[in-house]
Amino acid sequence: MEEKDIDRYPGETKDIQKAIMEYDVKVLRPNKDEYYLGIAKAVSKRSTCLKRQYGAVIVNNDEIIATGYNGNPRGLSNCIDLGICNRLFKPHNSGDYSDCYSVHAEQNAMLSAARKDMIGATLYLYGEENGKEIIAEPCPICQRMIINAGIKSIVS
């Protein structure tokens, strides 16, 4: 470590300063997966779905390419505003979305990105249901779209 970095804790011995700095880095700095999942969690707060709130972040070469959350298409009334969800009591990822008007978080993120930027990228996906974190998994249609977009991995 450089001397100038250690001096941010004046009055402490160099060994104590080093220990404090190592502790700060380990405790306060999230790893990249935690960092991008945290951003996906923040994006999910924009969701307009009553059943589940999803957020997606597409990252390539440590750069955010696009984000998306689940909600109705632009210009249509949102379930959260209407207070109605046709899928509220139906199983997750059933494959039948004929009664749901929402565009999924993954789809919205991919719509906002160029394919050339998604090739080899990672998709970070965060989900909540009833205010509790869930294991976020793409539906079968989103999974196929992710493959066709060239995204190489999903972290949730």
Side-chain angles (χ1 to χ4, degrees), residues 57-66 110 113-124 146 149-155:
V57 178
I58 299 172
V59 177
N60 203 351
N61 295 320
D62 209 22
E63 187 175 327
I64 295 174
I65 305 302
M110 288 183 283
R115 185 172 188 277
K116 67 179 178 57
D117 294 330
M118 292 187 284
I119 295 173
T122 299
L123 182 121
Y124 291 86
I146 289 165
I151 294 170
K152 71 173 181 171
S153 62
I154 301 167
V155 176

Side-chain angles (χ1 to χ4, degrees), residues 134-145:
I134 58 173
I135 296 171
E137 294 179 317
C139 75
I141 294 169
C142 286
Q143 186 65 49
R144 291 192 294 267
M145 291 176 69

